[in-house]
Amino acid sequence: RIFSFLDVVTLCRCAQVSRAWNVLALDGSNWQRIDLFDFQRDIEGRVVENISKRCGGFLRKLSLRGCLGVGDNALRTFAQNCRNIEVLNLNGCTKITDATCTSLSKFCSKLRHLDLASCTSITNMSLKALSEGCPLLEQLNISWCDQVTKDGIQALVRGCGGLKALFLKGCTQLEDEALKYIGAHCPELVTLNLQTCLQITDDGLITICRGCHKLQSLCASGCCNITDAILNALGQNCPRLRILEVARCSQLTDVGFTTLARNCHELEKMDLEECVQITDSTLIQLSIHCPRLQVLSLSHCELITDDGIRHLGNGACAHDRLEVIELDNCPLITDASLEHLKSCHSLERIELYDCQQITRAGIKRLRTHLPNIKVHAYFAPVTPPPSVGGSRQRFCRCCIIL
């Protein structure tokens, strides 16, 4: 029982103490959860095979994240021996192909969480196999598997209607049709990541909003075709939304964010970087209607002024919720904004890179009220550097953390 609480490294050390300890330490019941990422990443397939034989049906959770040497053959042996596996992380295991998903489909019907991010050989055939053999699948990450198309998504959701989290970041072939399948078959969906899915438009995301009312986290950063119609649809259909990331979605405006804020009162994190049309009006609505806001990125929102920050600093979230605010490249922000944030006692970090009206004195005054805050900024030298030995010294802008 004592050995059951030990991590992988400690178990291996204990196994070397004596024959009796070796038997106890390597007992399969002690190896229900294994994460090799911090232990050894250059393992070969035979190590995975040995682990599977040792653990057998006891193993519930395995992470092989970043294990570049592990391929389909080793994972077939693993699947045959560890049929009770529930959580499997193969992120960055670039050698694996559709054959691995076929093995998992055949032997691992209890699989609930599967991470295949950056496994670029994965195709629609993998999603079809998972649909047929892993009906309990709740979380799937196929980010950067850029061979996947709408046909694969269609096959997946028809057999795995209980999906709660789907990560499709960098799946550049996906289009609105794929989202329509998700919206029609995945009513339990809570988390969806579509970052850099450049073909996505309002039509597909509106279908998601209408079919997935439990949605709490949506990342559509880089989906530059979406408009305020998405924010309206989220406000009308997804009142539990907590996380919204729409960086570089330059068509979004104050009108859409007003509708969103007035309907989604549980918002905790918002990434609005490079939403260049928003103004202080959005901050006013957030300050009034979103009392749980913790993290807000407004970098490159060049129309934001001190007045917007003043409303935010006086808002319901300010005193004991707001933890991070990012204001990089907001040229209208001055030291006055820092004065407005003094009452945000939970504030842990503020980003001020390229805010040229922010001064060192303003930052120091903020720190007198919030001594533990991390302020990230940089300043150019005030005077030209002196010449040394007939040649001018080179100085770059200096990043500081105060």
Side-chain angles (χ1 to χ4, degrees):
R1 175 166 174 79
I2 293 172
F3 282 11
S4 70
F5 292 98
L6 303 181
D7 57 44
V8 172
V9 175
T10 309
L11 280 171
C12 290
R13 288 172 178 165
C14 289
Q16 299 177 59
V17 172
S18 67
R19 291 182 180 178
W21 277 40
N22 183 278
V23 172
L24 293 173
L26 298 184
D27 186 278
S29 61
N30 291 326
W31 296 72
Q32 297 183 37
R33 297 173 180 83
I34 302 174
D35 186 346
L36 296 179
F37 184 74
D38 293 324
F39 177 51
Q40 184 177 354
R41 269 168 275 178
D42 57 347
I43 66 171
E44 299 176 356
R46 61 182 178 81
V47 176
V48 176
E49 295 177 9
N50 290 337
I51 288 175
S52 70
K53 292 173 183 176
R54 173 68 65 178
C55 301
F58 288 109
L59 191 62
R60 297 290 189 276
K61 181 178 179 179
L62 174 66
S63 175
L64 298 174
R65 180 165 57 113
C67 294
L68 303 178
V70 177
D72 294 327
N73 291 334
L75 286 167
R76 177 177 176 81
T77 302
F78 164 81
Q80 290 174 325
N81 291 326
C82 302
R83 303 191 181 205
N84 292 320
I85 192 73
E86 296 176 1
V87 179
L88 181 60
N89 189 339
L90 301 175
N91 189 323
C93 297
T94 53
K95 280 190 176 182
I96 70 170
T97 70
D98 294 329
T100 286
C101 289
T102 300
S103 299
L104 294 174
S105 172
K106 186 175 181 180
F107 300 110
C108 302
S109 60
K110 297 182 181 180
L111 193 63
R112 294 182 180 273
H113 293 189
L114 178 61
D115 191 337
L116 297 169
S118 300
C119 298
T120 53
S121 296
I122 295 298
T123 73
N124 292 337
M125 291 178 61
S126 286
L127 303 191
K128 184 175 184 297
L130 293 172
S131 173
E132 294 171 349
C134 302
L136 302 180
L137 200 63
E138 295 179 354
Q139 179 172 310
L140 178 64
N141 188 345
I142 51 172
S143 297
W144 309 113
C145 297
D146 54 7
Q147 296 189 58
V148 171
T149 70
K150 61 181 177 62
D151 295 331
I153 298 298
Q154 180 183 24
L156 174 72
V157 299
R158 285 183 172 173
C160 301
L163 279 168
K164 295 181 179 180
L166 192 53
F167 300 87
L168 305 172
K169 179 180 179 179
C171 294
T172 53
Q173 293 197 57
L174 294 185
E175 48 199 21
D176 290 335
E177 197 70 23
L179 301 193
K180 292 178 181 178
Y181 295 135
I182 296 171
H185 294 281
C186 299
E188 302 298 316
L189 196 68
V190 173
T191 301
L192 179 63
N193 190 319
L194 298 168
Q195 183 174 336
T196 325
C197 295
L198 301 178
Q199 299 187 59
I200 298 300
T201 72
D202 291 344
D203 289 343
L205 273 173
I206 288 174
T207 306
I208 292 289
C209 297
R210 291 174 177 171
C212 306
H213 298 291
K214 296 182 180 181
L215 195 67
Q216 294 182 23
S217 176
L218 174 64
C219 177
S221 294
C223 298
C224 54
N225 295 317
I226 65 174
T227 71
D228 284 343
I230 297 305
L231 303 180
N232 294 332
L234 285 168
Q236 294 167 10
N237 297 281
C238 303
R240 301 183 189 179
L241 192 68
R242 294 188 302 107
I243 300 174
L244 178 64
E245 299 178 18
V246 286
R248 303 182 302 284
C249 296
S250 58
Q251 298 188 61
L252 303 180
T253 73
D254 293 330
V255 176
F257 284 112
T258 296
T259 301
L260 181 77
R262 289 178 176 177
N263 292 278
C264 298
H265 305 304
E266 297 184 18
L267 280 166
E268 296 176 0
K269 177 182 178 182
M270 298 184 71
D271 185 353
L272 311 185
E273 182 176 347
E274 292 187 39
C275 291
V276 293
Q277 295 194 56
I278 66 171
T279 70
D280 293 338
S281 177
T282 289
L283 299 192
I284 293 171
Q285 297 301 321
L286 293 176
S287 69
I288 296 171
H289 300 291
C290 300
R292 299 186 181 183
L293 196 62
Q294 298 176 17
V295 179
L296 178 62
S297 176
L298 299 168
S299 298
H300 295 273
C301 296
E302 298 185 357
L303 302 179
I304 298 295
T305 74
D306 293 332
D307 190 54
I309 302 301
R310 177 175 64 83
H311 282 90
L312 193 66
N314 293 328
C317 68
H319 297 292
D320 55 6
R321 289 281 185 172
L322 192 63
E323 297 176 358
V324 176
I325 183 167
E326 298 178 357
L327 298 168
D328 303 332
N329 291 278
C330 292
L332 303 181
I333 295 297
T334 73
D335 286 349
S337 285
L338 304 187
E339 295 294 320
H340 300 321
L341 294 173
K342 285 181 179 179
S343 60
C344 300
H345 302 299
S346 59
L347 200 61
E348 298 175 358
R349 176 168 59 87
I350 182 169
E351 303 278 347
L352 297 166
Y353 292 115
D354 246 355
C355 293
Q356 297 180 9
Q357 299 192 64
I358 295 292
T359 68
R360 293 177 186 270
I363 293 174
K364 288 180 179 179
R365 286 194 296 270
L366 177 65
R367 289 209 65 205
T368 61
H369 292 266
L370 304 173
N372 296 321
I373 193 172
K374 291 184 178 179
V375 183
H376 295 193
Y378 62 59
F379 300 91
V382 177
T383 57
S387 298
V388 177
S391 61
R392 184 172 296 277
Q393 288 181 303
R394 292 187 178 183
F395 283 76
C396 64
R397 288 193 172 188
C398 177
C399 294
I400 63 169
I401 301 177
L402 295 179

